Each structure stands twice: as C-alpha cells, then as structure tokens.
Amino acid sequence: FVTPQKKVTYSLSSPLVFLEQDMARQGITFSFENLLFESVAAPSDAAAALGLAKASPVYLQKKLFRMDGAAGAVDVSYLVADLGERFAPLLERQMTFPTLAQHGIPIEQLDAVIECTHADYDLSGYLEVPLGHALMVYRYTAYSSNQQPVLHGSTISRADRFCYSLSTRAGANS
C-alpha cells in the first residue's frame, strides 16, 4: 500500500527563515542527501548572477531534499569559490545558508523567481516522477553584506509535495 504524502510549505516572507527551521516548525522531518559537491567552471547564468567572469571557478552542489523521508526537491547551486573551498567539509553535511551564517556570512537578501519545468531523466529518478512530469523551479541568488552575491541556484520540486507561501505588507516606505 502507499503512504499518503503531506504537502509541505516553505515561507518566502521576510525575515528569511531557513528551510530546515520552517520544516521543523511544521513538524516535518527534513533531511538532505548530498549528491554532488565539486569545483567547476561557472556556467554563464551563474557567472552573471554572481558577478564573476565567464567560466570562473565556483562550487557546484546538488542536494536531494527529503521531507518526512519522501523526495521533495533537488537543489542545484553554485557557490563562490572561496566560500566553497573554505566550507567544503561542512557543506557536504549541512545546509548552505545556516553554515554561512554561523561563520559570519549572513544572507541579507534573496532575489528569486518561480517558474515551471519538466522532469528530465535525472530529475525523474531523484524525485520519483515520470519523465516529462511538470515541476516547480525556485531560481534564486543570495546576497551577503554589501550586496555581494555568494550563491546562485535553483530548487526543483514536486508540486504535490512542496509549495511556497509569501506574505507582504503595503506601505512600508510610504
């Protein structure tokens, strides 16, 4: 028999809440599997987002996020090289934002867009969906102090297991 999966929600509202904290608040057991962590030449979109020259070295990390044991999302991110080198052993076991924050590099701003894609062969296997299945993509760039971009990536998720919420306020500067 099949155990029904609960859909989880990640809040994109300010102030920034780390994913694992948001899951714990909802009573969800969050874990991740480090699929890949290596130095690569930055693809053009990552280089542009991070303010680097094309093909500059960056650290590519691919993680499979699990919520209550079920595959929910694959995160593919590019971290600036000096931080990747400095924190490599930690980042293979811990999430990126809290690791950086614990070492004096807080994420002060996130720019993001949410769009859709379809499961390719790899995503189909990781997320346990048929080839071509519709998936959500949360594409982001994270900035530390002084508007310094430090991480660019995308979280590709199953819409039946993962969603986003947002709360905004009008007139904050009026």
Side-chain angles (χ1 to χ4, degrees), residues 62-87:
K62 188 185 286 190
K63 298 177 273 210
L64 174 60
F65 293 167
R66 294 187 178 277
M67 292 79 168
D68 285 342
V74 172
D75 186 74
V76 178
S77 62
Y78 297 91
L79 180 64
V80 294
D82 62 320
L83 298 179
E85 290 167 12
R86 203 157 113 201
F87 302 118

mmCIF file with all atom_site columns, all heavy atoms in Angstrom, residues 62-87:
data_model
loop_
_atom_site.group_PDB
_atom_site.id
_atom_site.type_symbol
_atom_site.label_atom_id
_atom_site.label_alt_id
_atom_site.label_comp_id
_atom_site.label_asym_id
_atom_site.label_entity_id
_atom_site.label_seq_id
_atom_site.pdbx_PDB_ins_code
_atom_site.Cartn_x
_atom_site.Cartn_y
_atom_site.Cartn_z
_atom_site.occupancy
_atom_site.B_iso_or_equiv
_atom_site.pdbx_formal_charge
_atom_site.auth_seq_id
_atom_site.auth_comp_id
_atom_site.auth_asym_id
_atom_site.auth_atom_id
_atom_site.pdbx_PDB_model_num
ATOM 1   N N   . LYS A 1 62 ? 24.776 19.700 -5.587  1.00 0.00 ? 62 LYS A N   1
ATOM 2   C CA  . LYS A 1 62 ? 23.459 19.165 -5.901  1.00 0.00 ? 62 LYS A CA  1
ATOM 3   C C   . LYS A 1 62 ? 23.003 18.362 -4.693  1.00 0.00 ? 62 LYS A C   1
ATOM 4   O O   . LYS A 1 62 ? 23.723 17.481 -4.223  1.00 0.00 ? 62 LYS A O   1
ATOM 5   C CB  . LYS A 1 62 ? 23.518 18.271 -7.142  1.00 0.00 ? 62 LYS A CB  1
ATOM 6   C CG  . LYS A 1 62 ? 22.159 17.830 -7.640  1.00 0.00 ? 62 LYS A CG  1
ATOM 7   C CD  . LYS A 1 62 ? 22.248 16.849 -8.803  1.00 0.00 ? 62 LYS A CD  1
ATOM 8   C CE  . LYS A 1 62 ? 22.651 17.537 -10.078 1.00 0.00 ? 62 LYS A CE  1
ATOM 9   N NZ  . LYS A 1 62 ? 22.512 16.632 -11.252 1.00 0.00 ? 62 LYS A NZ  1
ATOM 10  N N   . LYS A 1 63 ? 21.793 18.705 -4.177  1.00 0.00 ? 63 LYS A N   1
ATOM 11  C CA  . LYS A 1 63 ? 21.258 18.046 -2.982  1.00 0.00 ? 63 LYS A CA  1
ATOM 12  C C   . LYS A 1 63 ? 19.843 17.556 -3.265  1.00 0.00 ? 63 LYS A C   1
ATOM 13  O O   . LYS A 1 63 ? 19.076 18.242 -3.948  1.00 0.00 ? 63 LYS A O   1
ATOM 14  C CB  . LYS A 1 63 ? 21.186 19.018 -1.800  1.00 0.00 ? 63 LYS A CB  1
ATOM 15  C CG  . LYS A 1 63 ? 22.507 19.571 -1.352  1.00 0.00 ? 63 LYS A CG  1
ATOM 16  C CD  . LYS A 1 63 ? 22.339 20.583 -0.237  1.00 0.00 ? 63 LYS A CD  1
ATOM 17  C CE  . LYS A 1 63 ? 22.098 21.937 -0.825  1.00 0.00 ? 63 LYS A CE  1
ATOM 18  N NZ  . LYS A 1 63 ? 22.567 23.064 -0.068  1.00 0.00 ? 63 LYS A NZ  1
ATOM 19  N N   . LEU A 1 64 ? 19.504 16.411 -2.702  1.00 0.00 ? 64 LEU A N   1
ATOM 20  C CA  . LEU A 1 64 ? 18.140 15.898 -2.747  1.00 0.00 ? 64 LEU A CA  1
ATOM 21  C C   . LEU A 1 64 ? 17.511 16.172 -1.387  1.00 0.00 ? 64 LEU A C   1
ATOM 22  O O   . LEU A 1 64 ? 18.002 15.688 -0.365  1.00 0.00 ? 64 LEU A O   1
ATOM 23  C CB  . LEU A 1 64 ? 18.136 14.395 -3.037  1.00 0.00 ? 64 LEU A CB  1
ATOM 24  C CG  . LEU A 1 64 ? 16.781 13.691 -2.984  1.00 0.00 ? 64 LEU A CG  1
ATOM 25  C CD1 . LEU A 1 64 ? 15.803 14.283 -4.007  1.00 0.00 ? 64 LEU A CD1 1
ATOM 26  C CD2 . LEU A 1 64 ? 16.960 12.192 -3.218  1.00 0.00 ? 64 LEU A CD2 1
ATOM 27  N N   . PHE A 1 65 ? 16.447 16.981 -1.367  1.00 0.00 ? 65 PHE A N   1
ATOM 28  C CA  . PHE A 1 65 ? 15.743 17.311 -0.124  1.00 0.00 ? 65 PHE A CA  1
ATOM 29  C C   . PHE A 1 65 ? 14.662 16.267 0.127   1.00 0.00 ? 65 PHE A C   1
ATOM 30  O O   . PHE A 1 65 ? 13.891 15.936 -0.771  1.00 0.00 ? 65 PHE A O   1
ATOM 31  C CB  . PHE A 1 65 ? 15.056 18.677 -0.217  1.00 0.00 ? 65 PHE A CB  1
ATOM 32  C CG  . PHE A 1 65 ? 15.983 19.852 -0.312  1.00 0.00 ? 65 PHE A CG  1
ATOM 33  C CD1 . PHE A 1 65 ? 15.487 21.090 -0.667  1.00 0.00 ? 65 PHE A CD1 1
ATOM 34  C CD2 . PHE A 1 65 ? 17.340 19.756 -0.049  1.00 0.00 ? 65 PHE A CD2 1
ATOM 35  C CE1 . PHE A 1 65 ? 16.304 22.205 -0.748  1.00 0.00 ? 65 PHE A CE1 1
ATOM 36  C CE2 . PHE A 1 65 ? 18.175 20.855 -0.118  1.00 0.00 ? 65 PHE A CE2 1
ATOM 37  C CZ  . PHE A 1 65 ? 17.647 22.083 -0.475  1.00 0.00 ? 65 PHE A CZ  1
ATOM 38  N N   . ARG A 1 66 ? 14.609 15.795 1.365   1.00 0.00 ? 66 ARG A N   1
ATOM 39  C CA  . ARG A 1 66 ? 13.566 14.852 1.774   1.00 0.00 ? 66 ARG A CA  1
ATOM 40  C C   . ARG A 1 66 ? 12.764 15.461 2.914   1.00 0.00 ? 66 ARG A C   1
ATOM 41  O O   . ARG A 1 66 ? 13.316 16.029 3.836   1.00 0.00 ? 66 ARG A O   1
ATOM 42  C CB  . ARG A 1 66 ? 14.172 13.529 2.213   1.00 0.00 ? 66 ARG A CB  1
ATOM 43  C CG  . ARG A 1 66 ? 14.853 12.785 1.084   1.00 0.00 ? 66 ARG A CG  1
ATOM 44  C CD  . ARG A 1 66 ? 15.295 11.380 1.514   1.00 0.00 ? 66 ARG A CD  1
ATOM 45  N NE  . ARG A 1 66 ? 15.904 10.677 0.404   1.00 0.00 ? 66 ARG A NE  1
ATOM 46  C CZ  . ARG A 1 66 ? 15.229 10.021 -0.531  1.00 0.00 ? 66 ARG A CZ  1
ATOM 47  N NH1 . ARG A 1 66 ? 13.919 9.963  -0.458  1.00 0.00 ? 66 ARG A NH1 1
ATOM 48  N NH2 . ARG A 1 66 ? 15.851 9.428  -1.511  1.00 0.00 ? 66 ARG A NH2 1
ATOM 49  N N   . MET A 1 67 ? 11.458 15.304 2.821   1.00 0.00 ? 67 MET A N   1
ATOM 50  C CA  . MET A 1 67 ? 10.544 15.772 3.846   1.00 0.00 ? 67 MET A CA  1
ATOM 51  C C   . MET A 1 67 ? 9.801  14.551 4.362   1.00 0.00 ? 67 MET A C   1
ATOM 52  O O   . MET A 1 67 ? 9.109  13.884 3.590   1.00 0.00 ? 67 MET A O   1
ATOM 53  C CB  . MET A 1 67 ? 9.549  16.791 3.284   1.00 0.00 ? 67 MET A CB  1
ATOM 54  C CG  . MET A 1 67 ? 10.207 18.098 2.890   1.00 0.00 ? 67 MET A CG  1
ATOM 55  S SD  . MET A 1 67 ? 11.030 17.989 1.296   1.00 0.00 ? 67 MET A SD  1
ATOM 56  C CE  . MET A 1 67 ? 11.348 19.694 0.974   1.00 0.00 ? 67 MET A CE  1
ATOM 57  N N   . ASP A 1 68 ? 9.963  14.253 5.656   1.00 0.00 ? 68 ASP A N   1
ATOM 58  C CA  . ASP A 1 68 ? 9.400  13.034 6.242   1.00 0.00 ? 68 ASP A CA  1
ATOM 59  C C   . ASP A 1 68 ? 9.804  11.805 5.422   1.00 0.00 ? 68 ASP A C   1
ATOM 60  O O   . ASP A 1 68 ? 9.020  10.882 5.221   1.00 0.00 ? 68 ASP A O   1
ATOM 61  C CB  . ASP A 1 68 ? 7.870  13.132 6.363   1.00 0.00 ? 68 ASP A CB  1
ATOM 62  C CG  . ASP A 1 68 ? 7.435  14.037 7.500   1.00 0.00 ? 68 ASP A CG  1
ATOM 63  O OD1 . ASP A 1 68 ? 8.257  14.314 8.400   1.00 0.00 ? 68 ASP A OD1 1
ATOM 64  O OD2 . ASP A 1 68 ? 6.265  14.463 7.497   1.00 0.00 ? 68 ASP A OD2 1
ATOM 65  N N   . GLY A 1 69 ? 11.039 11.821 4.921   1.00 0.00 ? 69 GLY A N   1
ATOM 66  C CA  . GLY A 1 69 ? 11.592 10.688 4.190   1.00 0.00 ? 69 GLY A CA  1
ATOM 67  C C   . GLY A 1 69 ? 11.268 10.646 2.707   1.00 0.00 ? 69 GLY A C   1
ATOM 68  O O   . GLY A 1 69 ? 11.877 9.900  1.954   1.00 0.00 ? 69 GLY A O   1
ATOM 69  N N   . ALA A 1 70 ? 10.308 11.444 2.249   1.00 0.00 ? 70 ALA A N   1
ATOM 70  C CA  . ALA A 1 70 ? 9.904  11.423 0.839   1.00 0.00 ? 70 ALA A CA  1
ATOM 71  C C   . ALA A 1 70 ? 10.695 12.466 0.047   1.00 0.00 ? 70 ALA A C   1
ATOM 72  O O   . ALA A 1 70 ? 10.887 13.599 0.499   1.00 0.00 ? 70 ALA A O   1
ATOM 73  C CB  . ALA A 1 70 ? 8.411  11.714 0.723   1.00 0.00 ? 70 ALA A CB  1
ATOM 74  N N   . ALA A 1 71 ? 11.133 12.083 -1.152  1.00 0.00 ? 71 ALA A N   1
ATOM 75  C CA  . ALA A 1 71 ? 11.840 13.014 -2.035  1.00 0.00 ? 71 ALA A CA  1
ATOM 76  C C   . ALA A 1 71 ? 10.911 14.167 -2.385  1.00 0.00 ? 71 ALA A C   1
ATOM 77  O O   . ALA A 1 71 ? 9.783  13.947 -2.833  1.00 0.00 ? 71 ALA A O   1
ATOM 78  C CB  . ALA A 1 71 ? 12.295 12.290 -3.295  1.00 0.00 ? 71 ALA A CB  1
ATOM 79  N N   . GLY A 1 72 ? 11.363 15.397 -2.156  1.00 0.00 ? 72 GLY A N   1
ATOM 80  C CA  . GLY A 1 72 ? 10.519 16.554 -2.431  1.00 0.00 ? 72 GLY A CA  1
ATOM 81  C C   . GLY A 1 72 ? 11.117 17.536 -3.408  1.00 0.00 ? 72 GLY A C   1
ATOM 82  O O   . GLY A 1 72 ? 10.402 18.174 -4.162  1.00 0.00 ? 72 GLY A O   1
ATOM 83  N N   . ALA A 1 73 ? 12.453 17.667 -3.416  1.00 0.00 ? 73 ALA A N   1
ATOM 84  C CA  . ALA A 1 73 ? 13.083 18.668 -4.271  1.00 0.00 ? 73 ALA A CA  1
ATOM 85  C C   . ALA A 1 73 ? 14.553 18.337 -4.490  1.00 0.00 ? 73 ALA A C   1
ATOM 86  O O   . ALA A 1 73 ? 15.180 17.666 -3.671  1.00 0.00 ? 73 ALA A O   1
ATOM 87  C CB  . ALA A 1 73 ? 12.953 20.057 -3.652  1.00 0.00 ? 73 ALA A CB  1
ATOM 88  N N   . VAL A 1 74 ? 15.087 18.833 -5.595  1.00 0.00 ? 74 VAL A N   1
ATOM 89  C CA  . VAL A 1 74 ? 16.516 18.771 -5.887  1.00 0.00 ? 74 VAL A CA  1
ATOM 90  C C   . VAL A 1 74 ? 17.002 20.216 -5.951  1.00 0.00 ? 74 VAL A C   1
ATOM 91  O O   . VAL A 1 74 ? 16.418 21.042 -6.655  1.00 0.00 ? 74 VAL A O   1
ATOM 92  C CB  . VAL A 1 74 ? 16.806 18.058 -7.224  1.00 0.00 ? 74 VAL A CB  1
ATOM 93  C CG1 . VAL A 1 74 ? 18.278 18.186 -7.606  1.00 0.00 ? 74 VAL A CG1 1
ATOM 94  C CG2 . VAL A 1 74 ? 16.398 16.595 -7.155  1.00 0.00 ? 74 VAL A CG2 1
ATOM 95  N N   . ASP A 1 75 ? 18.033 20.519 -5.184  1.00 0.00 ? 75 ASP A N   1
ATOM 96  C CA  . ASP A 1 75 ? 18.615 21.859 -5.183  1.00 0.00 ? 75 ASP A CA  1
ATOM 97  C C   . ASP A 1 75 ? 19.957 21.802 -5.892  1.00 0.00 ? 75 ASP A C   1
ATOM 98  O O   . ASP A 1 75 ? 20.807 20.970 -5.553  1.00 0.00 ? 75 ASP A O   1
ATOM 99  C CB  . ASP A 1 75 ? 18.797 22.363 -3.749  1.00 0.00 ? 75 ASP A CB  1
ATOM 100 C CG  . ASP A 1 75 ? 19.266 23.806 -3.722  1.00 0.00 ? 75 ASP A CG  1
ATOM 101 O OD1 . ASP A 1 75 ? 18.437 24.693 -4.013  1.00 0.00 ? 75 ASP A OD1 1
ATOM 102 O OD2 . ASP A 1 75 ? 20.446 24.036 -3.424  1.00 0.00 ? 75 ASP A OD2 1
ATOM 103 N N   . VAL A 1 76 ? 20.130 22.661 -6.883  1.00 0.00 ? 76 VAL A N   1
ATOM 104 C CA  . VAL A 1 76 ? 21.381 22.753 -7.640  1.00 0.00 ? 76 VAL A CA  1
ATOM 105 C C   . VAL A 1 76 ? 21.888 24.174 -7.457  1.00 0.00 ? 76 VAL A C   1
ATOM 106 O O   . VAL A 1 76 ? 21.219 25.131 -7.854  1.00 0.00 ? 76 VAL A O   1
ATOM 107 C CB  . VAL A 1 76 ? 21.153 22.459 -9.139  1.00 0.00 ? 76 VAL A CB  1
ATOM 108 C CG1 . VAL A 1 76 ? 22.459 22.605 -9.914  1.00 0.00 ? 76 VAL A CG1 1
ATOM 109 C CG2 . VAL A 1 76 ? 20.541 21.086 -9.334  1.00 0.00 ? 76 VAL A CG2 1
ATOM 110 N N   . SER A 1 77 ? 23.054 24.319 -6.812  1.00 0.00 ? 77 SER A N   1
ATOM 111 C CA  . SER A 1 77 ? 23.535 25.672 -6.514  1.00 0.00 ? 77 SER A CA  1
ATOM 112 C C   . SER A 1 77 ? 25.009 25.830 -6.861  1.00 0.00 ? 77 SER A C   1
ATOM 113 O O   . SER A 1 77 ? 25.772 24.870 -6.883  1.00 0.00 ? 77 SER A O   1
ATOM 114 C CB  . SER A 1 77 ? 23.299 26.011 -5.043  1.00 0.00 ? 77 SER A CB  1
ATOM 115 O OG  . SER A 1 77 ? 24.018 25.128 -4.209  1.00 0.00 ? 77 SER A OG  1
ATOM 116 N N   . TYR A 1 78 ? 25.365 27.098 -7.099  1.00 0.00 ? 78 TYR A N   1
ATOM 117 C CA  . TYR A 1 78 ? 26.736 27.488 -7.409  1.00 0.00 ? 78 TYR A CA  1
ATOM 118 C C   . TYR A 1 78 ? 27.180 28.487 -6.352  1.00 0.00 ? 78 TYR A C   1
ATOM 119 O O   . TYR A 1 78 ? 26.585 29.560 -6.211  1.00 0.00 ? 78 TYR A O   1
ATOM 120 C CB  . TYR A 1 78 ? 26.817 28.114 -8.802  1.00 0.00 ? 78 TYR A CB  1
ATOM 121 C CG  . TYR A 1 78 ? 26.426 27.144 -9.884  1.00 0.00 ? 78 TYR A CG  1
ATOM 122 C CD1 . TYR A 1 78 ? 25.105 27.054 -10.312 1.00 0.00 ? 78 TYR A CD1 1
ATOM 123 C CD2 . TYR A 1 78 ? 27.368 26.280 -10.448 1.00 0.00 ? 78 TYR A CD2 1
ATOM 124 C CE1 . TYR A 1 78 ? 24.741 26.142 -11.292 1.00 0.00 ? 78 TYR A CE1 1
ATOM 125 C CE2 . TYR A 1 78 ? 27.008 25.368 -11.428 1.00 0.00 ? 78 TYR A CE2 1
ATOM 126 C CZ  . TYR A 1 78 ? 25.690 25.305 -11.840 1.00 0.00 ? 78 TYR A CZ  1
ATOM 127 O OH  . TYR A 1 78 ? 25.329 24.389 -12.806 1.00 0.00 ? 78 TYR A OH  1
ATOM 128 N N   . LEU A 1 79 ? 28.204 28.136 -5.610  1.00 0.00 ? 79 LEU A N   1
ATOM 129 C CA  . LEU A 1 79 ? 28.727 28.948 -4.521  1.00 0.00 ? 79 LEU A CA  1
ATOM 130 C C   . LEU A 1 79 ? 30.071 29.537 -4.955  1.00 0.00 ? 79 LEU A C   1
ATOM 131 O O   . LEU A 1 79 ? 30.886 28.832 -5.566  1.00 0.00 ? 79 LEU A O   1
ATOM 132 C CB  . LEU A 1 79 ? 28.915 28.065 -3.281  1.00 0.00 ? 79 LEU A CB  1
ATOM 133 C CG  . LEU A 1 79 ? 29.444 28.693 -2.003  1.00 0.00 ? 79 LEU A CG  1
ATOM 134 C CD1 . LEU A 1 79 ? 28.458 29.732 -1.455  1.00 0.00 ? 79 LEU A CD1 1
ATOM 135 C CD2 . LEU A 1 79 ? 29.687 27.607 -0.956  1.00 0.00 ? 79 LEU A CD2 1
ATOM 136 N N   . VAL A 1 80 ? 30.308 30.817 -4.616  1.00 0.00 ? 80 VAL A N   1
ATOM 137 C CA  . VAL A 1 80 ? 31.587 31.422 -4.978  1.00 0.00 ? 80 VAL A CA  1
ATOM 138 C C   . VAL A 1 80 ? 32.732 30.557 -4.437  1.00 0.00 ? 80 VAL A C   1
ATOM 139 O O   . VAL A 1 80 ? 32.630 29.965 -3.363  1.00 0.00 ? 80 VAL A O   1
ATOM 140 C CB  . VAL A 1 80 ? 31.695 32.890 -4.497  1.00 0.00 ? 80 VAL A CB  1
ATOM 141 C CG1 . VAL A 1 80 ? 30.697 33.777 -5.233  1.00 0.00 ? 80 VAL A CG1 1
ATOM 142 C CG2 . VAL A 1 80 ? 31.509 33.002 -3.011  1.00 0.00 ? 80 VAL A CG2 1
ATOM 143 N N   . ALA A 1 81 ? 33.805 30.484 -5.208  1.00 0.00 ? 81 ALA A N   1
ATOM 144 C CA  . ALA A 1 81 ? 34.887 29.524 -4.952  1.00 0.00 ? 81 ALA A CA  1
ATOM 145 C C   . ALA A 1 81 ? 35.519 29.634 -3.574  1.00 0.00 ? 81 ALA A C   1
ATOM 146 O O   . ALA A 1 81 ? 35.749 28.616 -2.915  1.00 0.00 ? 81 ALA A O   1
ATOM 147 C CB  . ALA A 1 81 ? 35.967 29.649 -6.034  1.00 0.00 ? 81 ALA A CB  1
ATOM 148 N N   . ASP A 1 82 ? 35.799 30.860 -3.106  1.00 0.00 ? 82 ASP A N   1
ATOM 149 C CA  . ASP A 1 82 ? 36.484 30.966 -1.815  1.00 0.00 ? 82 ASP A CA  1
ATOM 150 C C   . ASP A 1 82 ? 35.634 30.392 -0.683  1.00 0.00 ? 82 ASP A C   1
ATOM 151 O O   . ASP A 1 82 ? 36.159 29.744 0.223   1.00 0.00 ? 82 ASP A O   1
ATOM 152 C CB  . ASP A 1 82 ? 36.935 32.400 -1.524  1.00 0.00 ? 82 ASP A CB  1
ATOM 153 C CG  . ASP A 1 82 ? 35.797 33.400 -1.433  1.00 0.00 ? 82 ASP A CG  1
ATOM 154 O OD1 . ASP A 1 82 ? 34.850 33.296 -2.233  1.00 0.00 ? 82 ASP A OD1 1
ATOM 155 O OD2 . ASP A 1 82 ? 35.862 34.294 -0.563  1.00 0.00 ? 82 ASP A OD2 1
ATOM 156 N N   . LEU A 1 83 ? 34.329 30.574 -0.732  1.00 0.00 ? 83 LEU A N   1
ATOM 157 C CA  . LEU A 1 83 ? 33.462 30.007 0.306   1.00 0.00 ? 83 LEU A CA  1
ATOM 158 C C   . LEU A 1 83 ? 33.330 28.499 0.149   1.00 0.00 ? 83 LEU A C   1
ATOM 159 O O   . LEU A 1 83 ? 33.283 27.759 1.143   1.00 0.00 ? 83 LEU A O   1
ATOM 160 C CB  . LEU A 1 83 ? 32.087 30.680 0.280   1.00 0.00 ? 83 LEU A CB  1
ATOM 161 C CG  . LEU A 1 83 ? 32.076 32.174 0.568   1.00 0.00 ? 83 LEU A CG  1
ATOM 162 C CD1 . LEU A 1 83 ? 30.659 32.731 0.486   1.00 0.00 ? 83 LEU A CD1 1
ATOM 163 C CD2 . LEU A 1 83 ? 32.708 32.481 1.914   1.00 0.00 ? 83 LEU A CD2 1
ATOM 164 N N   . GLY A 1 84 ? 33.278 28.035 -1.088  1.00 0.00 ? 84 GLY A N   1
ATOM 165 C CA  . GLY A 1 84 ? 33.211 26.590 -1.341  1.00 0.00 ? 84 GLY A CA  1
ATOM 166 C C   . GLY A 1 84 ? 34.440 25.873 -0.802  1.00 0.00 ? 84 GLY A C   1
ATOM 167 O O   . GLY A 1 84 ? 34.332 24.831 -0.152  1.00 0.00 ? 84 GLY A O   1
ATOM 168 N N   . GLU A 1 85 ? 35.606 26.448 -1.052  1.00 0.00 ? 85 GLU A N   1
ATOM 169 C CA  . GLU A 1 85 ? 36.853 25.853 -0.553  1.00 0.00 ? 85 GLU A CA  1
ATOM 170 C C   . GLU A 1 85 ? 36.900 25.874 0.968   1.00 0.00 ? 85 GLU A C   1
ATOM 171 O O   . GLU A 1 85 ? 37.253 24.890 1.605   1.00 0.00 ? 85 GLU A O   1
ATOM 172 C CB  . GLU A 1 85 ? 38.059 26.628 -1.103  1.00 0.00 ? 85 GLU A CB  1
ATOM 173 C CG  . GLU A 1 85 ? 38.288 26.444 -2.583  1.00 0.00 ? 85 GLU A CG  1
ATOM 174 C CD  . GLU A 1 85 ? 39.270 27.457 -3.158  1.00 0.00 ? 85 GLU A CD  1
ATOM 175 O OE1 . GLU A 1 85 ? 39.960 28.166 -2.383  1.00 0.00 ? 85 GLU A OE1 1
ATOM 176 O OE2 . GLU A 1 85 ? 39.334 27.540 -4.399  1.00 0.00 ? 85 GLU A OE2 1
ATOM 177 N N   . ARG A 1 86 ? 36.531 27.017 1.525   1.00 0.00 ? 86 ARG A N   1
ATOM 178 C CA  . ARG A 1 86 ? 36.613 27.208 2.967   1.00 0.00 ? 86 ARG A CA  1
ATOM 179 C C   . ARG A 1 86 ? 35.679 26.291 3.757   1.00 0.00 ? 86 ARG A C   1
ATOM 180 O O   . ARG A 1 86 ? 36.043 25.790 4.815   1.00 0.00 ? 86 ARG A O   1
ATOM 181 C CB  . ARG A 1 86 ? 36.265 28.671 3.267   1.00 0.00 ? 86 ARG A CB  1
ATOM 182 C CG  . ARG A 1 86 ? 36.797 29.167 4.553   1.00 0.00 ? 86 ARG A CG  1
ATOM 183 C CD  . ARG A 1 86 ? 36.910 30.687 4.488   1.00 0.00 ? 86 ARG A CD  1
ATOM 184 N NE  . ARG A 1 86 ? 35.977 31.305 5.406   1.00 0.00 ? 86 ARG A NE  1
ATOM 185 C CZ  . ARG A 1 86 ? 35.556 32.547 5.301   1.00 0.00 ? 86 ARG A CZ  1
ATOM 186 N NH1 . ARG A 1 86 ? 35.936 33.285 4.301   1.00 0.00 ? 86 ARG A NH1 1
ATOM 187 N NH2 . ARG A 1 86 ? 34.745 33.037 6.196   1.00 0.00 ? 86 ARG A NH2 1
ATOM 188 N N   . PHE A 1 87 ? 34.473 26.060 3.230   1.00 0.00 ? 87 PHE A N   1
ATOM 189 C CA  . PHE A 1 87 ? 33.460 25.333 3.996   1.00 0.00 ? 87 PHE A CA  1
ATOM 190 C C   . PHE A 1 87 ? 33.081 23.979 3.400   1.00 0.00 ? 87 PHE A C   1
ATOM 191 O O   . PHE A 1 87 ? 32.086 23.378 3.820   1.00 0.00 ? 87 PHE A O   1
ATOM 192 C CB  . PHE A 1 87 ? 32.210 26.199 4.162   1.00 0.00 ? 87 PHE A CB  1
ATOM 193 C CG  . PHE A 1 87 ? 32.483 27.502 4.847   1.00 0.00 ? 87 PHE A CG  1
ATOM 194 C CD1 . PHE A 1 87 ? 32.252 28.707 4.199   1.00 0.00 ? 87 PHE A CD1 1
ATOM 195 C CD2 . PHE A 1 87 ? 32.993 27.538 6.141   1.00 0.00 ? 87 PHE A CD2 1
ATOM 196 C CE1 . PHE A 1 87 ? 32.510 29.915 4.836   1.00 0.00 ? 87 PHE A CE1 1
ATOM 197 C CE2 . PHE A 1 87 ? 33.255 28.748 6.784   1.00 0.00 ? 87 PHE A CE2 1
ATOM 198 C CZ  . PHE A 1 87 ? 33.015 29.937 6.127   1.00 0.00 ? 87 PHE A CZ  1
#
